[in-house]
Amino acid sequence: MAMSDANGSRRRAQPDWQRLWPLALGTLLLLLGAFCAWQTWLIADEGNAAARVQQARDEAVQQLAQAVAAQRATVEQAVASLDPATLQGDRAALVAALHAKLPQARRLDVYSGSLDEVLHANFREFGYAKAAQLMAAQTADGVPPVQSVSHGVGDRRLSLVLPLGPPQQAQAWLWVELPFAPVQQAFEAVSPAGGRLDLRQGDASTDMRILSHGSAGAGAEPVAKMVPGSAFSVAAAMPMAFIVLPRTWPLTALLALAGLGAGLYLLWWRLRRRELPIAERDIDIEEFKLSQQAARQSAPPAPVLAKLATAAAPAPAPVAKPAAKIALDPSIFRAYDIRGVVGKTLDAGVARLLGQSIGTLMREQALTEIVVGRDGRLSGPELAGALAEGLRAAGVDVIDLGAVPTPVVYFATWHYNTGCGVAVTGSHNPPDYNGFKIVIGGQTLSEGAIQDLYHRIAENALERGGEGSLRQVDVVLDYLERIVSDVQAEHRLKVVVDCGNGIPGAVAPQVLSGIGCEVVPLYCEVDGTFPNHHPDPSDPHNLEDLILAVKQTGADLGVAFDGDGDRLGVVTKTGEIIFPDRLLMLFARDVLARQPGATIIYDVKCTGHLKGQILEAGGSPLMWRTGHSLIKGKMRETGAELAGEMSGHFFFKERWYGFDDGIYAGARLLEILAGDLEERTPEEIFATLPKGVSTPELKIELAEGEHYRFMEMFRARANFGDATLITIDGVRADWPDGWGLVRASNTTPVLVLRFDADNPTALARIQQVFREQLLAVDPALKLPF
């Protein structure tokens, strides 16, 4: 199309885009300028917003302290009003008198001043958190702090302990649960000032959230503010501010002015152009020049590559100097780790000496750097900090990973090429336990090597005066990326993930989501008191909530992890528990499909069907002793590609590093199940794994060290007739139709038993034989079968 100008000449009409681009560009620049102006206001107000939220946090701490003090005062007044003679009288009468004075109490108990009945209680029935609170009160300086305990969804209570009589020589201890409502009301009465307030329980550097109040907000501050007189703390989260520009308000203001100015000019210019006669308009080349000029004026600065700052792991908490130093107890140096009760056989002083001993061993081997991580237990920061002090005193450089699962510590020894690492963890033990899993020169220490650490300390043969460095790193993202880059679920599975409030809750859901699964979290908030259930998936009682959650959510599967993440438990949507020895059959089939002839190791507690399944899949089966470090040592010796234990430890060398990792094992399991999902459901796949009639791990609790002495007598006296005996770890008696086992646990003072047979009749017969042999050694044993 052409048009004539006033002189009769012809030229082409402008295309639509040439007429409209100034309007579009001007509008875009106005919007960008307005966006930059909004960003400028957000950046300028960010400091005020932080101050408002922190002021709200301080107010919440004050209100909570008053509420806690009021609840404590109510109990103290009730105790003070008692007739002194009541304290000396019948305990039932004392409890009744206290109930009359404290009608609001939900539960109330009185225990002896020595707490003997607590020390010898079954913690699973008595309550781990309750036992830990009572024992902590016995050794506390000052008034024991108030804390909370959960009795299920929607039923949280305050719990406190008070001495009856002089605190230094308490005649008895009062433990009482009160309604949590006054504390909750005090917390929720404080306005979060546009941000979010988190009420936590535990160490101020950990995230054990009880309540949240306010908007979603950004991430909460890493260190919360403690509430005096309690185990509570309050953390503030800033209001969610959508700030994407550099946080420099002069720069954003300049960008706003440039965008608004350029946009307004272009719009004005275009409107003026519409009012001119055609003959007076500029030619196309002039429009092009103006567009280039406008583009130069409004062009944003050169792109700035966002550098992902590695989040520093929390620095180890200052190590408190104990009032009374705990003597070094040789019993904590066990077969494949070091473990004790905090405040009784383990404290910061012991951890510091252990660090020196490990550092001395490393220096002898010319090893200079080590990674240290800890689980979510309340004693973790203090013990990890003291351990790092000892390592540095021996001249070793420490990489602090912060709170991470034990497998992440093992991964970091490879990732940072240190070959050395220590996981400060109590694993699946009660909250008052803690300990150390140690890797030196790529080998997990066990037996004689652990005893060597003890002897170095006992003989004072330790390096001193070193100046090792300390740096904090976050290796979790590298761990996630390493797994997700190799393991993928071909089809989307819905999975309930129960972390039992252990440290896997900070990692496992992200891993399983990253491989392509829909994750339903259950008890994934890290809480070192384990308020919901004990984090030990080898005990079927601890899987009851998971089974219920899988059924209620319609999930395809449920997985559970222990307190430090190196054990895996599995349940189906029908509620069946798939025991680890059957899972190992499935893993063996998968690995042997790519590594035919490979050695597969399993421990003495595994089913007799496992050997046949490995042979059928083309592998070489090998039974070995129970214990993660012992299994890893045997894997190095034999070059095995896979190993597993009945406790839920799985060791993948094929496609992984050979250490026990419950989280990685969970990912590999979901990869296998999802890969066959079009053909078979998980239940149909598990149905292909043979099973007889078997028991879970059964346990007989004994006094510390007594379980070892019992096994010595049992091994010498027991008579199983024509059964084949395997004594590499305890006593296992095999018959053609089944077997039984009894062994001493190397983590807790218990005897571990398991029975497996082809049918119920054979199982009953084998159990009766073991019952007779066990009671012949000790008629007072309380047998769980």
Side-chain angles (χ1 to χ4, degrees):
M1 176 179 178
M3 62 178 63
S4 300
D5 60 20
N7 298 320
S9 64
R10 298 175 62 82
R11 69 182 181 89
R12 288 177 300 175
Q14 290 179 316
D16 288 345
W17 69 268
Q18 290 183 347
R19 298 197 304 271
L20 295 178
W21 75 259
L23 290 175
L25 182 58
T27 302
L28 177 61
L29 289 172
L30 281 176
L31 291 174
L32 288 174
F35 176 79
C36 291
W38 176 55
Q39 292 279 291
T40 301
W41 181 83
L42 289 178
I43 294 168
D45 189 61
E46 197 173 21
N48 294 332
R52 291 193 296 269
V53 176
Q54 289 170 354
Q55 184 178 357
R57 177 203 63 194
D58 294 342
E59 182 182 353
V61 168
Q62 182 180 3
Q63 294 297 326
L64 288 167
Q66 293 175 0
V68 167
Q71 294 298 306
R72 185 191 298 278
T74 300
V75 178
E76 289 176 342
Q77 290 170 5
V79 172
S81 64
L82 287 173
D83 184 349
T86 308
L87 299 177
Q88 307 293 332
D90 179 69
R91 183 170 297 180
L94 174 58
V95 171
L98 287 167
H99 264 300
K101 294 180 179 295
L102 295 168
Q104 74 275 26
R106 305 293 295 275
R107 289 181 63 184
L108 186 152
D109 291 305
V110 175
Y111 300 96
S112 67
S114 64
L115 293 180
D116 284 343
E117 64 271 55
V118 177
L119 296 174
H120 297 91
N122 183 329
F123 286 162
R124 187 173 66 82
E125 297 177 357
F126 185 88
Y128 294 99
K130 179 179 177 181
Q133 187 179 15
L134 283 162
M135 289 187 283
Q138 192 179 39
T139 59
D141 293 330
V143 180
V146 174
Q147 62 187 52
S148 76
V149 62
S150 173
H151 288 275
V153 178
D155 187 13
R156 183 169 288 279
R157 306 173 188 176
L158 278 186
S159 64
L160 61 91
V161 177
L162 284 179
L164 300 180
Q168 296 77 13
Q169 296 180 341
Q171 300 172 8
W173 293 92
L174 168 63
W175 182 83
V176 60
E177 286 185 352
L178 300 170
F180 190 71
V183 171
Q184 182 171 351
Q185 292 166 3
F187 176 71
E188 294 177 346
V190 179
S191 170
R196 187 185 80 239
L197 298 178
D198 291 344
L199 177 61
R200 302 175 177 178
Q201 175 165 284
D203 184 86
S205 66
T206 59
D207 184 12
M208 304 173 188
R209 189 163 60 192
I210 298 173
L211 295 173
S212 287
H213 179 35
S215 62
E221 56 191 342
V223 179
K225 189 168 184 178
M226 297 300 298
V227 176
S230 75
F232 303 135
S233 60
V234 179
M238 287 288 294
M240 185 66 74
F242 185 76
I243 299 176
V244 297
L245 296 180
R247 281 175 159 80
T248 307
W249 72 262
L251 173 61
T252 56
L254 182 61
L255 291 174
L257 290 173
L260 291 171
L264 288 171
Y265 173 77
L266 275 176
L267 292 178
W268 170 81
W269 178 83
R270 184 58 193 161
L271 290 173
R272 177 177 176 274
R273 292 275 297 152
R274 291 182 61 184
E275 297 172 357
L276 295 175
I278 291 178
E280 296 179 16
R281 293 183 183 175
D282 296 325
I283 60 175
D284 293 348
I285 189 65
E286 185 63 21
E287 289 189 2
F288 176 77
K289 291 179 180 178
L290 286 173
S291 71
Q292 293 300 299
Q293 181 181 356
R296 284 193 298 270
Q297 291 174 347
S298 62
V304 179
L305 294 176
K307 183 178 180 181
L308 178 62
T310 302
V319 180
K321 304 300 181 184
K325 184 179 179 181
I326 292 177
L328 188 65
D329 186 345
S331 69
I332 69 174
F333 292 79
R334 302 177 181 245
Y336 36 83
D337 56 19
I338 297 167
R339 190 168 302 168
V341 179
V342 177
K344 293 187 177 297
T345 59
L346 185 60
D347 67 353
V350 173
R352 193 177 298 106
L353 289 171
L354 179 61
Q356 284 183 263
S357 184
I358 294 171
T360 302
L361 176 61
M362 289 178 59
R363 293 290 297 274
E364 291 175 0
Q365 299 181 19
L367 300 169
T368 60
E369 193 171 40
I370 191 170
V371 295
V372 174
R374 54 184 170 82
D375 65 17
R377 292 166 187 267
L378 305 187
S379 57
E382 181 182 31
L383 294 180
L387 178 79
E389 285 184 5
L391 287 164
R392 295 171 66 193
V396 172
D397 297 332
V398 176
I399 301 175
D400 176 29
L401 307 175
V404 295
T406 293
V408 175
V409 176
Y410 296 152
F411 171 80
T413 67
W414 289 87
H415 187 70
Y416 295 117
N417 198 31
T418 66
C420 302
V422 179
V424 181
T425 175
S427 188
H428 60 283
N429 286 276
D432 55 338
Y433 275 75
N434 216 325
F436 309 88
K437 295 179 179 179
I438 306 163
V439 180
I440 301 296
Q443 298 186 17
T444 304
L445 301 192
S446 63
E447 298 183 318
I450 288 180
Q451 290 301 314
D452 175 65
L453 294 178
Y454 165 72
H455 290 302
R456 290 173 185 271
I457 298 173
E459 296 166 8
N460 200 23
L462 305 174
E463 291 277 353
R464 292 179 174 80
E467 297 181 356
S469 65
L470 173 68
R471 61 188 175 106
Q472 289 84 37
V473 301
D474 183 356
V475 73
V476 172
L477 283 178
D478 298 305
Y479 175 80
L480 291 172
E481 291 174 2
R482 172 63 178 81
I483 296 177
V484 172
S485 66
D486 179 59
V487 181
Q488 283 294 310
E490 186 175 332
H491 297 90
R492 193 168 180 83
L493 288 165
K494 186 176 183 179
V495 185
V496 179
V497 179
D498 181 359
C499 294
N501 298 113
I503 194 62
V507 178
Q510 294 92 317
V511 169
L512 301 187
S513 176
I515 69 169
C517 295
E518 178 185 350
V519 171
V520 180
L522 176 66
Y523 307 144
C524 288
E525 304 82 7
V526 180
D527 184 339
T529 64
F530 310 131
N532 294 292
H533 67 71
H534 198 49
D536 180 2
S538 68
D539 185 341
H541 294 292
N542 297 326
L543 300 175
E544 293 172 355
D545 289 357
L546 178 60
I547 292 172
L548 180 62
V550 171
K551 291 180 178 179
Q552 289 182 337
T553 60
D556 298 296
L557 199 72
V559 296
F561 303 101
D562 70 338
D564 68 332
D566 57 9
R567 296 186 181 200
L568 171 68
V570 176
V571 302
T572 69
K573 65 191 312 178
T574 61
E576 180 186 7
I577 299 173
I578 307 300
F579 289 126
D581 50 1
R582 295 183 68 213
L583 288 177
L584 188 57
M585 297 178 193
L586 190 60
F587 289 142
R589 291 178 185 175
D590 179 64
V591 170
L592 290 169
R594 291 180 295 274
Q595 300 288 338
T599 298
I600 311 294
I601 299 176
Y602 54 96
D603 77 328
V604 294
K605 294 183 291 184
C606 289
T607 175
H609 293 289
L610 184 54
K611 179 179 180 179
Q613 286 292 300
I614 295 172
L615 289 170
E616 185 177 321
S620 175
L622 175 63
M623 181 187 293
W624 192 239
R625 299 168 60 191
T626 295
H628 67 95
S629 57
L630 306 179
I631 292 286
K632 281 178 277 194
K634 200 65 175 176
M635 289 183 73
R636 285 192 304 273
E637 176 187 330
T638 60
E641 293 289 342
L642 174 69
E645 295 182 285
M646 186 61 194
S647 59
H649 289 267
F650 295 99
F651 312 75
F652 285 87
K653 183 67 172 65
E654 192 253 358
R655 294 168 56 189
W656 197 234
Y657 300 96
F659 55 73
D660 42 331
D661 188 339
I663 300 172
Y664 178 78
R668 288 286 290 262
L669 172 66
L670 295 171
E671 180 185 54
I672 294 169
L673 298 178
D676 206 12
L677 198 58
E678 287 186 347
E679 302 293 332
R680 296 180 294 178
T681 66
E683 289 76 20
E684 290 171 333
I685 295 173
F686 290 135
T688 67
L689 308 174
K691 65 175 181 178
V693 182
S694 63
T695 69
E697 291 187 13
L698 306 174
K699 298 178 181 179
I700 302 175
E701 296 184 0
L702 297 174
E704 185 68 54
E706 190 62 33
H707 57 317
Y708 292 122
R709 287 186 285 273
F710 177 90
M711 283 306 305
E712 291 177 4
M713 293 187 291
F714 185 79
R715 189 178 290 107
R717 300 181 188 178
N719 182 3
F720 290 96
D722 60 350
T724 300
L725 295 185
I726 301 172
T727 57
I728 57 175
D729 188 0
V731 175
R732 171 168 167 158
D734 279 60
W735 289 270
D737 57 354
W739 57 271
L741 167 75
V742 57
R743 59 177 294 273
S745 168
N746 285 310
T747 57
T748 52
V750 299
L751 296 175
V752 179
L753 303 96
R754 192 177 185 229
F755 303 97
D756 183 272
D758 293 341
N759 53 66
T761 302
L763 182 70
R765 186 194 79 247
I766 294 170
Q767 286 182 315
Q768 180 58 31
V769 172
F770 268 83
R771 186 179 294 112
E772 293 171 355
Q773 297 298 317
L774 289 166
L775 294 178
V777 176
D778 185 354
L781 282 181
K782 296 181 180 180
L783 302 181
F785 64 95

